[in-house]
Amino acid sequence: DVTPEMVEGIIRKVKPDYIQCDSKGHPGFSSYPTKVGTPAPGFVKDPLRIWRDVTAEHGVALYVHHSGVWDTEALRQHPSWSCVRETGKRHPDSTSLFSPYVDKVLIPQIKELSDEYDVDGIWIDGECWAACQDYGAKVLRKFREETGIEEVPRKPDDPCFFEFTEFIREAFRHYLNHYVTEVHKHNPDFQICSNWAYSSYMPEPVEIDVDFLSGDYPLTNSVNMARLESRCLVYQGKPWDLMAWGFTSRWEECSRTLKSAVQMMQEAAVTISQGGGIQFYFQQRLDGSISEWQMEPMAEVAKFCRERQDFCHGAVPVPQIAMVYPGKAYYRKCARIFSPWSSSGDRLLDPMRGVLQNLLDSQNIVDITMEHQITGRMNDYPLIVLPEWGYLDKKFKDELLAYVEEGGNLLLVGPEAAALFKRQLGVRFVGKSETMEHWLMHDGYMCNLKTPTQKVVIKDSARSFGELFEENNDQCASIPAASIAKCGKGRIAAIYTNLGERYDKARNSVSRDFLNSLVCELFPTPLVEVSGSHLVDVAATRKDGKLMINLINTSGPHGDDNVYVFDEIQPVGPLEISI
C-alpha cells in the first residue's frame, strides 16, 4: 500500500535531507522483491522502487535499514552458518562471523540495492551488538592455532575468557572490513554505516572505511541516552548522527505511542548541540506504508532543527572538562562482544552516564574522550575526570600522570579509579571497597548513598574534602568522602564512593552539588558559567571561527519510564550567563 503520494507527502511536509526505509529486518525477509535473498511473500508491487523513484525526483537521498549479523531466515535455511553457543546448540538468530553468510547473502544484497535501485547508502543493523561468542569447531580450532590457548573458556569467570572474546571481536572487525571494502570496490559512492560501530558500544579508533557513524538510542530515557551517545561520536572523525525513536513504550509491550513534537525536539536539541545530525524512526506498517498523520509533528521537529542548523551542524566542541572513556577497561568488563553488559547483568555504561548527568546538571561543559581521542592532547583540558573505571593501559596512565605533574587537574570517581593512583593520592586504603550505606554531608544537607565505598586515611600530603557519615546524623563517626593532593605542578583528587552509579539510579541534589563543588575547586575558571537553573545543559562549540554557546532545556519527565508521552517542558530561568 505504499504510494508515490505518500512519499511525496513526507518530502513536502518534513523536507528531509534523506529518507531511510526498510530493506531487511532481523527476521531476514526482504521488504522488496530481492533476487539474491529471501523476499517477504505476497508482493503485488515493488515498494522500494516507489521510494527510490519519488526521492530521486525530488533530489532527496534514499538509505535503507538492513539487518546484518542478525538474520533468522538465512539461518533457518542454512543452519551451519549460525554461531554455536557455549552449550553446543546453534544460535537461531546470530550468524557466525566465520561463515559464508557475508559473501553469499549480505554483500550480494547490498550490491543489488546499489545496482538495481540506485540506493545512496545503507544503515546496517543487528551488527556489533548482535555478534556472539562462537564455539563452532572451525572457530575453536582457529582460536587455538592463533593464541596457543588449548582450554577454551565457556563462562566469563573462566581463564582466558577475555582473550577468547577479543578473538571474536577481531573476527567482527574482519567481517566489517571485508564487506565495506568489497562494496566500495563495486561502488565507491555507496555510503555504509554499521549500527553502533565505533560508538560507546565499540570504543576504539575508526580503522575501517565506513562512511558515517550512527546508533539508535533507546525509546525511553532518551534525553539522558543522547547526552552520552552524542559525546561518544563527536571525536571519531566521521560524519555522524543519532537515530531517535519517534514513539515510546516499554520493550516488553507491543503497543507503541507516538512522542509529542516537543518531546522529539528536546531529544534533537541534545544531539545537534554537539554538532551531529538527527534522524527519527517511525514504524512502517506490515504492508510497507506509513501513518501519514505522524509526519505533521515530524514537520514541526524538522523546522526546529533547521532553525538551528547553521549554528550547530558540524560545529566542534571547545575543550573544558574531559571525561575519559577507557575502551580497554570496557572490553575487560564486557561479557558480550560489543554490547555493554557485564557478566552479572549490570549495564556497564550506567556509572559513566551517571557522572556525566551529574556534571551536566551543574551546567559544566563536558566531553567524553576515548583513549585514542585524548592521547597527545590532554593539555587542551583544564580538568580530566576518570569515572568509575578500574583499568588503564600503562602507557595511557603514565601520560595522565605527566599531564598532572605538568599542571593539569585529574579527578577520579569511585574506589576502582582511585585505586589506580593510590601513591599519588597520598592516602592509605583501609581494607577493600565494599557496598555499604553512608550519608554524604554537603552544605548543611545529607543524602543516602548505598554503593561501593572505600575507607581511606588521609596523610599529610593530602587534604580531606567532604564527609561520609555512618548514620543519618552528622554527630556520628565519618570517613572522608574525597581528597585532594598536589602532584607536581598539578592536583589529583578522588571520590571514594561510586557517585555516578548512584546518581544514575537515584539522582539527588546533594551529591550533584558535592561533585560540582569539588570540580570548582579543581577548575575555578571555566569558559562559561550559567546559573539560575539546574535544568539546563551547556555546550560550547566553535563553527566558522565563532564561539557558540548552546543552552538546552532538560526539564520534563524524560527520565521517567512511567511517562510515555509529555508535551510540556517547563520554562527555566532567568539565567545569568558569564563568558
Side-chain angles (χ1 to χ4, degrees), residues 520-539:
C520 291
E521 185 88 5
L522 298 169
F523 181 26
T525 55
L527 173 68
V528 182
E529 293 179 90
V530 177
S531 60
S533 174
H534 287 289
L535 302 175
V536 176
D537 279 7
V538 184

Side-chain angles (χ1 to χ4, degrees), residues 307-380:
E307 290 170 345
R308 291 152 179 80
Q309 181 171 346
D310 288 345
F311 305 99
C312 295
H313 192 244
V316 179
V318 177
Q320 289 287 279
I321 298 174
M323 198 167 76
V324 174
Y325 179 10
K328 293 181 175 65
Y330 165 79
Y331 284 148
R332 276 167 171 74
K333 280 192 170 186
C334 190
R336 303 184 186 181
I337 308 305
F338 291 105
S339 192
W341 295 86
S342 72
S343 58
S344 59
D346 295 329
R347 295 184 298 185
L348 292 175
L349 303 183
D350 286 1
M352 185 168 71
R353 190 176 68 236
V355 175
L356 174 66
Q357 290 175 204
N358 194 320
L359 291 168
L360 294 177
D361 287 349
S362 289
Q363 290 59 67
N364 291 292
I365 297 169
V366 187
D367 290 346
I368 293 178
T369 55
M370 301 169 193
E371 292 118 318
H372 65 280
Q373 295 169 341
I374 196 172
T375 295
R377 54 183 289 265
M378 291 183 184
N379 289 330
D380 291 350

Side-chain angles (χ1 to χ4, degrees), residues 236-311:
Q236 285 291 56
K238 289 282 184 178
W240 64 275
D241 70 9
L242 284 174
M243 180 192 287
W245 291 45
F247 50 89
T248 185
S249 177
R250 287 185 175 86
W251 283 110
E252 63 272 17
E253 294 183 1
C254 294
S255 60
R256 300 286 187 261
T257 301
L258 189 73
K259 293 176 180 176
S260 72
V262 168
Q263 199 170 352
M264 289 188 278
M265 288 176 196
Q266 188 177 46
E267 294 178 25
V270 172
T271 300
I272 65 175
S273 70
Q274 295 298 310
I278 185 77
Q279 53 173 309
F280 282 88
Y281 163 36
F282 298 86
Q283 287 184 304
Q284 292 172 250
R285 300 190 187 101
L286 292 180
D287 61 16
S289 64
I290 63 154
S291 297
E292 295 178 80
W293 71 268
Q294 295 180 349
M295 293 302 102
E296 297 295 341
M298 185 59 220
E300 296 181 53
V301 178
K303 181 175 182 291
F304 173 90
C305 293
R306 292 295 188 202
E307 290 170 345
R308 291 152 179 80
Q309 181 171 346
D310 288 345
F311 305 99

Side-chain angles (χ1 to χ4, degrees), residues 53-70:
D53 288 348
V54 177
T55 52
E57 181 183 346
H58 291 271
V60 174
L62 181 68
Y63 289 74
V64 288
H65 166 275
H66 197 88
S67 192
V69 169
W70 187 341

Side-chain angles (χ1 to χ4, degrees), residues 102-175:
V102 65
D103 290 304
K104 297 290 188 181
V105 175
L106 186 61
I107 292 174
Q109 279 210 301
I110 298 175
K111 289 180 178 179
E112 180 184 50
L113 291 163
S114 169
D115 297 349
E116 299 298 323
Y117 292 90
D118 196 27
V119 166
D120 295 283
I122 195 164
W123 195 93
I124 303 189
D125 200 1
E127 284 275 275
C128 66
W129 60 268
C132 298
Q133 279 89 0
D134 190 348
Y135 293 88
K138 182 175 77 171
V139 179
L140 299 187
R141 185 167 58 250
K142 188 175 177 65
F143 171 68
R144 291 186 176 107
E145 289 173 356
E146 292 189 7
T147 66
I149 298 170
E150 288 298 323
E151 189 65 30
V152 177
R154 302 278 170 171
K155 302 188 298 296
D157 294 336
D158 288 348
C160 300
F161 185 81
F162 169 70
E163 286 78 4
F164 182 63
T165 304
E166 282 286 278
F167 173 75
I168 302 298
R169 287 187 184 118
E170 187 59 28
F172 176 81
R173 297 180 189 109
H174 177 79
Y175 151 88

